[in-house]
């Protein structure tokens, strides 16, 4: 996945994110952004409600620091009857005085299209 060539699904400063005892941003905050961003292409593909059924992989490559600008890229890479596998990449822009962009995490999640009762529903035809 080449995040620099596409628009991020979400982008926000890690200004008020909770930190761990080492002063880096808490991994659970990053996972939450990953789940939100991953759901966006899934909802678009499913044309409606989805739920997360699995986090197949979550790799924290480098710490996120307070003050980083966080961008989360996500794409559906595979579809089944009701499910969609989404690859997510998290990048940060750090230190505006001497800017650098770093990939800090990547993940693979599976979402399922559901109906009003929360039951799996077949994906609509891809147009
Ligand atoms: C997602 C949910 C609706 C699936 O219901 P289910 O009765 O297990 O449905 P199925 O067994 O028919 O599986 C539906 C699809 O999910 C896939 N799936 C189920 N469990 C999976 C897993 N652990 N990993 C990957 N895919 C999985 C199935 O392969 C199937 O895909 P397909 O239709 O494309 O072949 C149900 O498990 C659920 O509501 N889970 C809670 C979701 C939730 O609350 N998420 C937020 C957590 S905080």
């Amino acid at each position: 996945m080449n995040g620099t060539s596409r628009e991020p699904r979400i982008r926000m400063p890690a200004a008020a994110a909770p930190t761990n005892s080492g002063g880096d941003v808490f991994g659970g905050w990053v996972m939450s952004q990953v789940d939100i961003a991953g759901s966006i292409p899934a909802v678009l593909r499913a044309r409606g409600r989805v739920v997360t059924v699995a986090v197949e992989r979550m790799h924290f490559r480098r710490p996120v620091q307070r003050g980083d600008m966080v961008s989360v890229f996500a794409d559906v890479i595979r579809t089944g009857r009701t499910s969609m596998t989404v690859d997510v990449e998290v990048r940060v822009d750090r230190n505006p005085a001497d800017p650098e962009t770093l990939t800090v995490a990547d993940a693979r999640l599976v979402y399922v299209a559901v109906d009003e009762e929360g039951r799996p529903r077949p994906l609509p035809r891809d147009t």
Side-chain angles (χ1 to χ4, degrees):
M1 189 181 309
N2 180 6
T4 54
S5 64
R6 307 181 342 272
E7 288 293 313
R9 300 291 180 175
I10 57 177
R11 184 165 159 82
M12 90 293 297
T19 50
N20 61 28
S21 54
D24 297 318
V25 168
F26 179 52
W29 182 86
V30 177
M31 290 179 77
S32 164
Q33 309 310 318
V34 163
D35 191 22
I36 293 166
S39 73
I40 293 171
V43 165
L44 291 171
R45 175 62 185 83
R47 291 191 224 125
R49 188 177 161 202
V50 304
V51 292
T52 313
V53 72
V55 179
E56 292 195 336
R57 188 181 74 225
M58 179 80 223
H59 184 179
F60 296 99
R61 296 180 178 275
R62 299 164 189 260
V64 176
Q65 299 174 357
R66 273 236 174 123
D68 285 348
M69 178 60 76
V70 179
S71 299
V72 191
F73 301 83
D75 289 296
V76 175
I77 57 141
R78 195 162 51 237
T79 56
R81 195 180 80 84
T82 67
S83 68
M84 294 151 286
T85 301
V86 176
D87 273 0
V88 180
E89 181 177 338
V90 185
R91 293 184 167 212
V92 299
D93 294 310
R94 180 169 294 166
N95 189 14
D98 185 14
E100 57 178 344
T101 302
L102 302 167
T103 296
V104 293
D106 56 72
R108 177 165 291 173
L109 297 87
V110 182
Y111 297 85
V112 174
V114 292
D115 63 18
E116 298 78 29
E117 276 78 48
R119 292 178 306 230
R121 67 177 163 88
L123 292 174
R125 190 194 290 264
D126 197 8
T127 50

